[in-house]
Amino acid sequence: QVRLVESGGGLVKPGGSLRLSCAASGFTFSDYYMTWIRQAPGKGLEWISYISSTVTTIYYADSVRGRFTISRDNAENSLYLQMNSLRAEDTAVYYCARGAQLRYVDSWGQGTLVTVSS
Amino acid sequence: QSALTQPRSVSGSPGQSVTISCTGSRGDIGGYNYVSWYQQHPGKAPKLMIFDVSERPSGVPDRFSGSKSGNTASLTISGLQADDEADYYCCSYAGSYIMLFGGGTKLTVL
């Protein structure tokens, strides 16, 4: 059974940093693309970053490029998102999700809330 | 890249059918057969309902079906049930390693 568990969310001041983690289990983590998708309060879904299974391909949405860094540790079955220079508009629930290349995502974590506020 | 366009809300009575549209462009929906649909109940994570335009993951009832014509994809839910009331999001690959979501549609079961 696929399980994705995010952690690391919380309250941070504008300009601050936060590192999100996602622990994966129930599947061969190293075989899959992984993505981060976020949802601002009361808003829709926004895909923000993905990383290929072997880290050869990484991509970011324009809204986070240059501030966020995605990474993974296949030995630890973990996905990460380092978020720097945080802004109020980054306030959202951040979901870790398993991807079928760039066709779709088939499993989601429960999400972790990041609040950027002074 | 702009988000895909969905109606903000649709509604139907139990047992009826509803269709949710998702309009994009030749650069996304029209150019690839990589449209997916997600159901999200309040306070919950999204759930994959349709992938590759019209394929259903195991466990998703066949009341849910997907299609595409030109730059517009559609999700049809037949035999509406109370538990179908949720937000629905379309998503499409848009080339250049970009994935786009629609703005979401709130389905109300009357």
Side-chain angles (χ1 to χ4, degrees):
Chain A
Q1 175 185 351
V2 175
R3 185 169 163 82
L4 299 168
V5 180
E6 301 94 336
S7 60
L11 175 63
V12 61
K13 290 181 166 54
S17 298
L18 215 52
R19 189 192 196 211
L20 305 184
S21 300
C22 172
S25 61
F27 66 102
T28 304
F29 182 72
S30 59
D31 284 349
Y32 287 86
Y33 276 56
M34 296 298 295
T35 70
W36 287 100
I37 295 165
R38 70 183 181 184
Q39 186 171 34
K43 301 297 185 182
L45 300 169
E46 179 189 14
W47 166 83
I48 58 171
S49 184
Y50 76 82
I51 185 168
S52 63
S53 56
T54 55
V55 198
T56 51
T57 304
I58 288 176
Y59 195 80
Y60 301 97
D62 289 345
S63 56
V64 305
R65 186 176 294 118
R67 300 186 299 121
F68 290 11
T69 302
I70 191 172
S71 61
R72 64 189 296 162
D73 184 336
N74 286 342
E76 295 292 327
N77 294 332
S78 293
L79 177 72
Y80 305 101
L81 187 68
Q82 177 66 43
M83 303 186 296
N84 298 330
S85 303
L86 283 161
R87 307 166 180 167
E89 54 265 36
D90 295 319
T91 294
V93 173
Y94 285 73
Y95 292 102
C96 161
R98 188 179 80 168
Q101 287 80 46
L102 292 169
R103 291 158 55 204
Y104 56 91
V105 290
D106 63 358
S107 298
W108 301 65
Q110 84 289 351
T112 187
L113 176 63
V114 172
T115 302
V116 184
S117 175
S118 55
Chain B
Q1 287 280 1
S2 300
L4 307 173
T5 300
Q6 297 182 234
R8 293 189 67 111
S9 64
V10 298
S11 62
S13 299
Q16 288 187 332
S17 294
V18 295
T19 297
I20 300 171
S21 62
C22 174
T23 301
S25 69
R26 276 195 309 176
D28 38 70
I29 292 175
Y32 306 92
N33 287 323
Y34 295 154
V35 178
S36 51
W37 290 89
Y38 303 87
Q39 176 192 65
Q40 186 180 34
H41 287 109
K44 301 293 188 182
K47 174 187 175 184
L48 177 66
M49 304 302 284
I50 295 288
F51 67 95
D52 293 352
V53 176
S54 60
E55 299 296 315
R56 269 189 317 275
S58 63
V60 173
D62 60 6
R63 301 185 298 105
F64 291 83
S65 63
S67 63
K68 186 185 89 165
S69 177
N71 300 335
T72 299
S74 299
L75 173 71
T76 298
I77 309 170
S78 58
L80 267 179
Q81 299 180 0
D83 190 53
D84 297 335
E85 184 162 296
D87 293 326
Y88 291 84
Y89 294 90
C90 61
C91 182
S92 175
Y93 180 61
S96 301
Y97 304 106
I98 296 170
M99 291 184 77
L100 285 178
F101 281 101
T105 298
K106 180 177 180 59
L107 169 62
T108 300
V109 180
L110 301 170

